[in-house]
Amino acid sequence: MAPETDQRSPVLDLDTAFAAVAAAALSDGPTGTVGLELEAHLVDLDRPAARVPWGRVCGALASVPPLPGGSRLTSEPGGQVELSGPPLPDVAAAVAALRADRVVLAAALAADRLALAPVGTDPLRPPQRVNPAGRYAAMEQHFAAVGCAPAGSAMMTSTASLQVNLEAGPAAGWSTRVALAHQLGPVLVAVSACSPLSGGRPTGWRSTRQQVWGDLDQARCGPLLRGDDPAGEWAAYALAAPVMLVRDGDDAEPVRGRVAFSDWVSGEVPLGDRRPTASDLEYHLTTLFPPVRPRGWLEIRYLDAAPEPWWPALAAVTTVLLDDPVAADRAAAASAPTADAWDRAARLGLADPALHAAARGCLAAAVDAVPPALRPEVEALAELVERGADPGGALLNALRTGGPASALLAATDRTEAP
């Protein structure tokens, strides 16, 4: 949960703001710890074409018993459900904990004839916000004001992702590690692609979720530049990014235009009849969504949500390609030719020859390094990649054989079993 604005804290100057963001960006320490967050679309099994009303979402989540793996359970603007697992010693432990929590969650939802569809975009229902939180209403208004209302609404209410959280690692290796996390992005977008449908029909994109993010304001959602000083680069990115909303107590007022946070700090553009405080800066950082976001650790945010066995495999592959030194070197060599192919990855996926070759090289490196407990899932993903296929192919098959509602229902993990 974002911090409350503290009107008593002193206003910022540009040097103080830059230093604060840079200091908090990355934490020096060993790699190994992994946290996983998985979103899924909530589906009414009896009325799959209708979004689940907010009251029913809240009631269903309130019925969920304590989760054995320690995940935090939250809901997103379109009623998507997110499980955020705790940091655990390795990816195998993180996957096991999230799987255990998903079994408990699925059983509780099934009692109300609900199920979860962990796929990158809602394949059937149009974008619609059901969560009435003021933050989300203000986000909608800001996106509309800056000219990306459709993409903003789709991002908030119709997308779902798998997020992999990894330690920043030793300070001496930050530049290389952050650069590799970005360089792997297009390859792993193509490998994880599980969102070829929207509104009940094919979109022409393998990862419509990534396409939606590409249509948003790139000053807020675009990648960093992979420079030699990733902490300083993140600070510069944050201060240049537009302010989305200004909080006053529990209220959130949208900013109806593009105002860089630095312009608010300098006083060049007044917002909310005041200058920003440290709490405003901290909240501003929660409204920035680059594909790799530094938060002391690294949030890898570019993977589509996908059903079993793909999300555990994707979590394992992402982790070992960054945390295992040998696998990281092999992945760096394999992915270098496609480092900037974000749009091609979203549109063509593994049908692009260069991305297919890079993906095969990265999966070969991952299979050799993955923990034994997750080797079967990663080997299955490697076989899928070898064929030039992705997790979203099953949605297209379901659409062809049973229609749009069938595609959404086919995406539901009703047992959530490994």
PDB file of all heavy atoms in Angstrom, residues 367-402:
ATOM      1  N   VAL A 367      17.610 -24.407 -19.091  1.00  0.00           N
ATOM      2  CA  VAL A 367      17.420 -25.830 -18.776  1.00  0.00           C
ATOM      3  C   VAL A 367      18.629 -26.381 -18.025  1.00  0.00           C
ATOM      4  O   VAL A 367      18.490 -27.195 -17.100  1.00  0.00           O
ATOM      5  CB  VAL A 367      17.162 -26.632 -20.066  1.00  0.00           C
ATOM      6  CG1 VAL A 367      17.283 -28.125 -19.818  1.00  0.00           C
ATOM      7  CG2 VAL A 367      15.778 -26.310 -20.618  1.00  0.00           C
ATOM      8  N   ASP A 368      19.804 -25.949 -18.383  1.00  0.00           N
ATOM      9  CA  ASP A 368      21.020 -26.456 -17.744  1.00  0.00           C
ATOM     10  C   ASP A 368      21.201 -25.925 -16.328  1.00  0.00           C
ATOM     11  O   ASP A 368      21.992 -26.488 -15.556  1.00  0.00           O
ATOM     12  CB  ASP A 368      22.252 -26.081 -18.576  1.00  0.00           C
ATOM     13  CG  ASP A 368      22.315 -26.825 -19.894  1.00  0.00           C
ATOM     14  OD1 ASP A 368      21.643 -27.868 -20.020  1.00  0.00           O
ATOM     15  OD2 ASP A 368      23.025 -26.359 -20.798  1.00  0.00           O
ATOM     16  N   ALA A 369      20.504 -24.837 -15.972  1.00  0.00           N
ATOM     17  CA  ALA A 369      20.750 -24.198 -14.678  1.00  0.00           C
ATOM     18  C   ALA A 369      19.576 -24.254 -13.716  1.00  0.00           C
ATOM     19  O   ALA A 369      19.718 -23.911 -12.548  1.00  0.00           O
ATOM     20  CB  ALA A 369      21.135 -22.730 -14.908  1.00  0.00           C
ATOM     21  N   VAL A 370      18.404 -24.674 -14.196  1.00  0.00           N
ATOM     22  CA  VAL A 370      17.195 -24.577 -13.386  1.00  0.00           C
ATOM     23  C   VAL A 370      17.229 -25.549 -12.210  1.00  0.00           C
ATOM     24  O   VAL A 370      17.833 -26.620 -12.285  1.00  0.00           O
ATOM     25  CB  VAL A 370      15.965 -24.842 -14.294  1.00  0.00           C
ATOM     26  CG1 VAL A 370      15.855 -26.319 -14.651  1.00  0.00           C
ATOM     27  CG2 VAL A 370      14.697 -24.331 -13.676  1.00  0.00           C
ATOM     28  N   PRO A 371      16.601 -25.199 -11.079  1.00  0.00           N
ATOM     29  CA  PRO A 371      16.511 -26.138  -9.958  1.00  0.00           C
ATOM     30  C   PRO A 371      15.812 -27.433 -10.375  1.00  0.00           C
ATOM     31  O   PRO A 371      14.858 -27.404 -11.170  1.00  0.00           O
ATOM     32  CB  PRO A 371      15.693 -25.379  -8.912  1.00  0.00           C
ATOM     33  CG  PRO A 371      15.860 -23.940  -9.255  1.00  0.00           C
ATOM     34  CD  PRO A 371      15.993 -23.892 -10.745  1.00  0.00           C
ATOM     35  N   PRO A 372      16.242 -28.574  -9.859  1.00  0.00           N
ATOM     36  CA  PRO A 372      15.641 -29.852 -10.262  1.00  0.00           C
ATOM     37  C   PRO A 372      14.126 -29.892 -10.091  1.00  0.00           C
ATOM     38  O   PRO A 372      13.428 -30.510 -10.912  1.00  0.00           O
ATOM     39  CB  PRO A 372      16.344 -30.866  -9.352  1.00  0.00           C
ATOM     40  CG  PRO A 372      17.668 -30.244  -9.044  1.00  0.00           C
ATOM     41  CD  PRO A 372      17.398 -28.767  -8.947  1.00  0.00           C
ATOM     42  N   ALA A 373      13.596 -29.247  -9.057  1.00  0.00           N
ATOM     43  CA  ALA A 373      12.159 -29.292  -8.803  1.00  0.00           C
ATOM     44  C   ALA A 373      11.349 -28.680  -9.934  1.00  0.00           C
ATOM     45  O   ALA A 373      10.171 -29.021 -10.114  1.00  0.00           O
ATOM     46  CB  ALA A 373      11.831 -28.584  -7.486  1.00  0.00           C
ATOM     47  N   LEU A 374      11.965 -27.767 -10.704  1.00  0.00           N
ATOM     48  CA  LEU A 374      11.245 -27.098 -11.784  1.00  0.00           C
ATOM     49  C   LEU A 374      11.745 -27.496 -13.162  1.00  0.00           C
ATOM     50  O   LEU A 374      11.304 -26.935 -14.172  1.00  0.00           O
ATOM     51  CB  LEU A 374      11.358 -25.571 -11.610  1.00  0.00           C
ATOM     52  CG  LEU A 374      10.621 -25.004 -10.391  1.00  0.00           C
ATOM     53  CD1 LEU A 374      10.969 -23.542 -10.180  1.00  0.00           C
ATOM     54  CD2 LEU A 374       9.117 -25.181 -10.533  1.00  0.00           C
ATOM     55  N   ARG A 375      12.605 -28.493 -13.228  1.00  0.00           N
ATOM     56  CA  ARG A 375      13.139 -28.895 -14.521  1.00  0.00           C
ATOM     57  C   ARG A 375      12.050 -29.402 -15.473  1.00  0.00           C
ATOM     58  O   ARG A 375      12.068 -29.064 -16.666  1.00  0.00           O
ATOM     59  CB  ARG A 375      14.224 -29.959 -14.345  1.00  0.00           C
ATOM     60  CG  ARG A 375      14.941 -30.316 -15.656  1.00  0.00           C
ATOM     61  CD  ARG A 375      16.078 -31.297 -15.396  1.00  0.00           C
ATOM     62  NE  ARG A 375      17.059 -30.727 -14.500  1.00  0.00           N
ATOM     63  CZ  ARG A 375      18.052 -29.933 -14.876  1.00  0.00           C
ATOM     64  NH1 ARG A 375      18.184 -29.614 -16.146  1.00  0.00           N
ATOM     65  NH2 ARG A 375      18.907 -29.455 -13.997  1.00  0.00           N
ATOM     66  N   PRO A 376      11.069 -30.210 -15.035  1.00  0.00           N
ATOM     67  CA  PRO A 376      10.050 -30.670 -15.984  1.00  0.00           C
ATOM     68  C   PRO A 376       9.287 -29.514 -16.640  1.00  0.00           C
ATOM     69  O   PRO A 376       9.012 -29.563 -17.853  1.00  0.00           O
ATOM     70  CB  PRO A 376       9.125 -31.545 -15.126  1.00  0.00           C
ATOM     71  CG  PRO A 376       9.997 -32.013 -14.005  1.00  0.00           C
ATOM     72  CD  PRO A 376      10.902 -30.869 -13.705  1.00  0.00           C
ATOM     73  N   GLU A 377       8.944 -28.489 -15.862  1.00  0.00           N
ATOM     74  CA  GLU A 377       8.214 -27.353 -16.422  1.00  0.00           C
ATOM     75  C   GLU A 377       9.075 -26.581 -17.422  1.00  0.00           C
ATOM     76  O   GLU A 377       8.598 -26.172 -18.485  1.00  0.00           O
ATOM     77  CB  GLU A 377       7.757 -26.417 -15.294  1.00  0.00           C
ATOM     78  CG  GLU A 377       6.650 -26.969 -14.417  1.00  0.00           C
ATOM     79  CD  GLU A 377       7.168 -27.807 -13.255  1.00  0.00           C
ATOM     80  OE1 GLU A 377       8.358 -28.226 -13.280  1.00  0.00           O
ATOM     81  OE2 GLU A 377       6.384 -28.050 -12.321  1.00  0.00           O
ATOM     82  N   VAL A 378      10.349 -26.382 -17.082  1.00  0.00           N
ATOM     83  CA  VAL A 378      11.227 -25.637 -17.977  1.00  0.00           C
ATOM     84  C   VAL A 378      11.519 -26.442 -19.244  1.00  0.00           C
ATOM     85  O   VAL A 378      11.581 -25.881 -20.353  1.00  0.00           O
ATOM     86  CB  VAL A 378      12.517 -25.229 -17.250  1.00  0.00           C
ATOM     87  CG1 VAL A 378      13.510 -24.577 -18.211  1.00  0.00           C
ATOM     88  CG2 VAL A 378      12.196 -24.267 -16.108  1.00  0.00           C
ATOM     89  N   GLU A 379      11.676 -27.742 -19.110  1.00  0.00           N
ATOM     90  CA  GLU A 379      11.876 -28.568 -20.311  1.00  0.00           C
ATOM     91  C   GLU A 379      10.641 -28.520 -21.208  1.00  0.00           C
ATOM     92  O   GLU A 379      10.764 -28.474 -22.447  1.00  0.00           O
ATOM     93  CB  GLU A 379      12.197 -30.006 -19.904  1.00  0.00           C
ATOM     94  CG  GLU A 379      13.592 -30.158 -19.305  1.00  0.00           C
ATOM     95  CD  GLU A 379      13.886 -31.573 -18.845  1.00  0.00           C
ATOM     96  OE1 GLU A 379      12.906 -32.339 -18.632  1.00  0.00           O
ATOM     97  OE2 GLU A 379      15.070 -31.906 -18.671  1.00  0.00           O
ATOM     98  N   ALA A 380       9.446 -28.508 -20.615  1.00  0.00           N
ATOM     99  CA  ALA A 380       8.227 -28.391 -21.417  1.00  0.00           C
ATOM    100  C   ALA A 380       8.175 -27.054 -22.139  1.00  0.00           C
ATOM    101  O   ALA A 380       7.777 -26.981 -23.309  1.00  0.00           O
ATOM    102  CB  ALA A 380       6.997 -28.564 -20.529  1.00  0.00           C
ATOM    103  N   LEU A 381       8.590 -25.982 -21.460  1.00  0.00           N
ATOM    104  CA  LEU A 381       8.616 -24.672 -22.100  1.00  0.00           C
ATOM    105  C   LEU A 381       9.654 -24.645 -23.217  1.00  0.00           C
ATOM    106  O   LEU A 381       9.408 -24.068 -24.288  1.00  0.00           O
ATOM    107  CB  LEU A 381       8.912 -23.588 -21.064  1.00  0.00           C
ATOM    108  CG  LEU A 381       8.904 -22.150 -21.581  1.00  0.00           C
ATOM    109  CD1 LEU A 381       7.532 -21.773 -22.139  1.00  0.00           C
ATOM    110  CD2 LEU A 381       9.310 -21.174 -20.466  1.00  0.00           C
ATOM    111  N   ALA A 382      10.806 -25.260 -22.991  1.00  0.00           N
ATOM    112  CA  ALA A 382      11.830 -25.318 -24.034  1.00  0.00           C
ATOM    113  C   ALA A 382      11.317 -26.057 -25.267  1.00  0.00           C
ATOM    114  O   ALA A 382      11.596 -25.654 -26.411  1.00  0.00           O
ATOM    115  CB  ALA A 382      13.094 -25.980 -23.500  1.00  0.00           C
ATOM    116  N   GLU A 383      10.555 -27.128 -25.066  1.00  0.00           N
ATOM    117  CA  GLU A 383       9.982 -27.862 -26.201  1.00  0.00           C
ATOM    118  C   GLU A 383       8.961 -26.998 -26.945  1.00  0.00           C
ATOM    119  O   GLU A 383       8.883 -27.018 -28.182  1.00  0.00           O
ATOM    120  CB  GLU A 383       9.333 -29.154 -25.705  1.00  0.00           C
ATOM    121  CG  GLU A 383      10.344 -30.177 -25.173  1.00  0.00           C
ATOM    122  CD  GLU A 383       9.672 -31.359 -24.514  1.00  0.00           C
ATOM    123  OE1 GLU A 383       8.421 -31.409 -24.510  1.00  0.00           O
ATOM    124  OE2 GLU A 383      10.397 -32.223 -23.976  1.00  0.00           O
ATOM    125  N   LEU A 384       8.165 -26.232 -26.194  1.00  0.00           N
ATOM    126  CA  LEU A 384       7.196 -25.332 -26.811  1.00  0.00           C
ATOM    127  C   LEU A 384       7.920 -24.291 -27.667  1.00  0.00           C
ATOM    128  O   LEU A 384       7.533 -24.033 -28.813  1.00  0.00           O
ATOM    129  CB  LEU A 384       6.363 -24.651 -25.719  1.00  0.00           C
ATOM    130  CG  LEU A 384       5.141 -23.845 -26.154  1.00  0.00           C
ATOM    131  CD1 LEU A 384       4.021 -24.763 -26.619  1.00  0.00           C
ATOM    132  CD2 LEU A 384       4.656 -22.947 -25.013  1.00  0.00           C
ATOM    133  N   VAL A 385       8.975 -23.706 -27.107  1.00  0.00           N
ATOM    134  CA  VAL A 385       9.751 -22.698 -27.824  1.00  0.00           C
ATOM    135  C   VAL A 385      10.403 -23.299 -29.063  1.00  0.00           C
ATOM    136  O   VAL A 385      10.446 -22.671 -30.135  1.00  0.00           O
ATOM    137  CB  VAL A 385      10.791 -22.068 -26.883  1.00  0.00           C
ATOM    138  CG1 VAL A 385      11.828 -21.267 -27.656  1.00  0.00           C
ATOM    139  CG2 VAL A 385      10.101 -21.185 -25.842  1.00  0.00           C
ATOM    140  N   GLU A 386      10.921 -24.510 -28.938  1.00  0.00           N
ATOM    141  CA  GLU A 386      11.563 -25.159 -30.079  1.00  0.00           C
ATOM    142  C   GLU A 386      10.598 -25.249 -31.262  1.00  0.00           C
ATOM    143  O   GLU A 386      11.010 -25.091 -32.425  1.00  0.00           O
ATOM    144  CB  GLU A 386      12.039 -26.555 -29.673  1.00  0.00           C
ATOM    145  CG  GLU A 386      12.835 -27.285 -30.745  1.00  0.00           C
ATOM    146  CD  GLU A 386      14.187 -26.661 -31.016  1.00  0.00           C
ATOM    147  OE1 GLU A 386      14.744 -26.002 -30.114  1.00  0.00           O
ATOM    148  OE2 GLU A 386      14.685 -26.825 -32.153  1.00  0.00           O
ATOM    149  N   ARG A 387       9.314 -25.458 -30.982  1.00  0.00           N
ATOM    150  CA  ARG A 387       8.313 -25.544 -32.046  1.00  0.00           C
ATOM    151  C   ARG A 387       7.882 -24.175 -32.562  1.00  0.00           C
ATOM    152  O   ARG A 387       7.064 -24.087 -33.478  1.00  0.00           O
ATOM    153  CB  ARG A 387       7.072 -26.288 -31.545  1.00  0.00           C
ATOM    154  CG  ARG A 387       7.319 -27.701 -31.055  1.00  0.00           C
ATOM    155  CD  ARG A 387       6.014 -28.481 -30.977  1.00  0.00           C
ATOM    156  NE  ARG A 387       4.992 -27.841 -30.168  1.00  0.00           N
ATOM    157  CZ  ARG A 387       4.813 -28.031 -28.862  1.00  0.00           C
ATOM    158  NH1 ARG A 387       5.647 -28.839 -28.196  1.00  0.00           N
ATOM    159  NH2 ARG A 387       3.831 -27.426 -28.221  1.00  0.00           N
ATOM    160  N   GLY A 388       8.395 -23.116 -31.945  1.00  0.00           N
ATOM    161  CA  GLY A 388       7.978 -21.769 -32.320  1.00  0.00           C
ATOM    162  C   GLY A 388       6.621 -21.399 -31.771  1.00  0.00           C
ATOM    163  O   GLY A 388       5.981 -20.468 -32.278  1.00  0.00           O
ATOM    164  N   ALA A 389       6.180 -22.088 -30.721  1.00  0.00           N
ATOM    165  CA  ALA A 389       4.865 -21.857 -30.131  1.00  0.00           C
ATOM    166  C   ALA A 389       5.006 -21.109 -28.810  1.00  0.00           C
ATOM    167  O   ALA A 389       6.093 -21.002 -28.238  1.00  0.00           O
ATOM    168  CB  ALA A 389       4.132 -23.179 -29.915  1.00  0.00           C
ATOM    169  N   ASP A 390       3.878 -20.593 -28.317  1.00  0.00           N
ATOM    170  CA  ASP A 390       3.865 -19.869 -27.043  1.00  0.00           C
ATOM    171  C   ASP A 390       2.616 -20.271 -26.260  1.00  0.00           C
ATOM    172  O   ASP A 390       1.715 -20.938 -26.796  1.00  0.00           O
ATOM    173  CB  ASP A 390       3.932 -18.360 -27.273  1.00  0.00           C
ATOM    174  CG  ASP A 390       2.794 -17.835 -28.156  1.00  0.00           C
ATOM    175  OD1 ASP A 390       1.649 -18.282 -27.989  1.00  0.00           O
ATOM    176  OD2 ASP A 390       3.067 -16.969 -29.012  1.00  0.00           O
ATOM    177  N   PRO A 391       2.505 -19.871 -24.998  1.00  0.00           N
ATOM    178  CA  PRO A 391       1.336 -20.268 -24.204  1.00  0.00           C
ATOM    179  C   PRO A 391       0.009 -19.779 -24.754  1.00  0.00           C
ATOM    180  O   PRO A 391      -1.039 -20.377 -24.499  1.00  0.00           O
ATOM    181  CB  PRO A 391       1.628 -19.656 -22.823  1.00  0.00           C
ATOM    182  CG  PRO A 391       3.118 -19.596 -22.749  1.00  0.00           C
ATOM    183  CD  PRO A 391       3.543 -19.253 -24.151  1.00  0.00           C
ATOM    184  N   GLY A 392       0.020 -18.682 -25.532  1.00  0.00           N
ATOM    185  CA  GLY A 392      -1.235 -18.154 -26.053  1.00  0.00           C
ATOM    186  C   GLY A 392      -1.863 -18.967 -27.161  1.00  0.00           C
ATOM    187  O   GLY A 392      -3.036 -18.754 -27.496  1.00  0.00           O
ATOM    188  N   GLY A 393      -1.123 -19.915 -27.719  1.00  0.00           N
ATOM    189  CA  GLY A 393      -1.696 -20.735 -28.784  1.00  0.00           C
ATOM    190  C   GLY A 393      -2.923 -21.497 -28.342  1.00  0.00           C
ATOM    191  O   GLY A 393      -3.851 -21.718 -29.136  1.00  0.00           O
ATOM    192  N   ALA A 394      -2.972 -21.895 -27.072  1.00  0.00           N
ATOM    193  CA  ALA A 394      -4.134 -22.630 -26.569  1.00  0.00           C
ATOM    194  C   ALA A 394      -5.391 -21.778 -26.594  1.00  0.00           C
ATOM    195  O   ALA A 394      -6.503 -22.294 -26.812  1.00  0.00           O
ATOM    196  CB  ALA A 394      -3.860 -23.128 -25.152  1.00  0.00           C
ATOM    197  N   LEU A 395      -5.254 -20.463 -26.389  1.00  0.00           N
ATOM    198  CA  LEU A 395      -6.417 -19.580 -26.435  1.00  0.00           C
ATOM    199  C   LEU A 395      -6.971 -19.488 -27.853  1.00  0.00           C
ATOM    200  O   LEU A 395      -8.193 -19.506 -28.056  1.00  0.00           O
ATOM    201  CB  LEU A 395      -6.038 -18.194 -25.930  1.00  0.00           C
ATOM    202  CG  LEU A 395      -5.591 -18.091 -24.467  1.00  0.00           C
ATOM    203  CD1 LEU A 395      -5.149 -16.674 -24.160  1.00  0.00           C
ATOM    204  CD2 LEU A 395      -6.714 -18.511 -23.532  1.00  0.00           C
ATOM    205  N   LEU A 396      -6.085 -19.386 -28.815  1.00  0.00           N
ATOM    206  CA  LEU A 396      -6.541 -19.344 -30.204  1.00  0.00           C
ATOM    207  C   LEU A 396      -7.222 -20.651 -30.607  1.00  0.00           C
ATOM    208  O   LEU A 396      -8.244 -20.643 -31.309  1.00  0.00           O
ATOM    209  CB  LEU A 396      -5.358 -19.053 -31.120  1.00  0.00           C
ATOM    210  CG  LEU A 396      -4.773 -17.639 -31.023  1.00  0.00           C
ATOM    211  CD1 LEU A 396      -3.456 -17.557 -31.781  1.00  0.00           C
ATOM    212  CD2 LEU A 396      -5.765 -16.612 -31.566  1.00  0.00           C
ATOM    213  N   ASN A 397      -6.685 -21.765 -30.154  1.00  0.00           N
ATOM    214  CA  ASN A 397      -7.319 -23.054 -30.446  1.00  0.00           C
ATOM    215  C   ASN A 397      -8.704 -23.136 -29.827  1.00  0.00           C
ATOM    216  O   ASN A 397      -9.659 -23.615 -30.457  1.00  0.00           O
ATOM    217  CB  ASN A 397      -6.435 -24.200 -29.934  1.00  0.00           C
ATOM    218  CG  ASN A 397      -5.158 -24.344 -30.733  1.00  0.00           C
ATOM    219  OD1 ASN A 397      -5.081 -23.920 -31.891  1.00  0.00           O
ATOM    220  ND2 ASN A 397      -4.149 -24.940 -30.126  1.00  0.00           N
ATOM    221  N   ALA A 398      -8.839 -22.679 -28.594  1.00  0.00           N
ATOM    222  CA  ALA A 398     -10.142 -22.716 -27.929  1.00  0.00           C
ATOM    223  C   ALA A 398     -11.144 -21.813 -28.629  1.00  0.00           C
ATOM    224  O   ALA A 398     -12.325 -22.139 -28.740  1.00  0.00           O
ATOM    225  CB  ALA A 398      -9.991 -22.306 -26.464  1.00  0.00           C
ATOM    226  N   LEU A 399     -10.669 -20.653 -29.107  1.00  0.00           N
ATOM    227  CA  LEU A 399     -11.557 -19.753 -29.843  1.00  0.00           C
ATOM    228  C   LEU A 399     -12.070 -20.416 -31.111  1.00  0.00           C
ATOM    229  O   LEU A 399     -13.268 -20.353 -31.427  1.00  0.00           O
ATOM    230  CB  LEU A 399     -10.802 -18.469 -30.188  1.00  0.00           C
ATOM    231  CG  LEU A 399     -11.567 -17.442 -31.033  1.00  0.00           C
ATOM    232  CD1 LEU A 399     -12.676 -16.788 -30.223  1.00  0.00           C
ATOM    233  CD2 LEU A 399     -10.620 -16.388 -31.599  1.00  0.00           C
ATOM    234  N   ARG A 400     -11.182 -21.076 -31.844  1.00  0.00           N
ATOM    235  CA  ARG A 400     -11.575 -21.712 -33.105  1.00  0.00           C
ATOM    236  C   ARG A 400     -12.552 -22.858 -32.893  1.00  0.00           C
ATOM    237  O   ARG A 400     -13.460 -23.065 -33.693  1.00  0.00           O
ATOM    238  CB  ARG A 400     -10.327 -22.208 -33.839  1.00  0.00           C
ATOM    239  CG  ARG A 400      -9.512 -21.105 -34.505  1.00  0.00           C
ATOM    240  CD  ARG A 400      -8.450 -21.665 -35.416  1.00  0.00           C
ATOM    241  NE  ARG A 400      -7.373 -22.284 -34.657  1.00  0.00           N
ATOM    242  CZ  ARG A 400      -6.238 -21.678 -34.331  1.00  0.00           C
ATOM    243  NH1 ARG A 400      -6.044 -20.412 -34.696  1.00  0.00           N
ATOM    244  NH2 ARG A 400      -5.307 -22.310 -33.659  1.00  0.00           N
ATOM    245  N   THR A 401     -12.385 -23.596 -31.806  1.00  0.00           N
ATOM    246  CA  THR A 401     -13.215 -24.784 -31.609  1.00  0.00           C
ATOM    247  C   THR A 401     -14.495 -24.522 -30.833  1.00  0.00           C
ATOM    248  O   THR A 401     -15.485 -25.223 -31.031  1.00  0.00           O
ATOM    249  CB  THR A 401     -12.415 -25.880 -30.881  1.00  0.00           C
ATOM    250  OG1 THR A 401     -11.956 -25.376 -29.621  1.00  0.00           O
ATOM    251  CG2 THR A 401     -11.217 -26.316 -31.712  1.00  0.00           C
ATOM    252  N   GLY A 402     -14.485 -23.506 -29.952  1.00  0.00           N
ATOM    253  CA  GLY A 402     -15.653 -23.318 -29.102  1.00  0.00           C
ATOM    254  C   GLY A 402     -16.185 -21.913 -28.995  1.00  0.00           C
ATOM    255  O   GLY A 402     -17.190 -21.683 -28.317  1.00  0.00           O
TER     256      GLY A 402
END
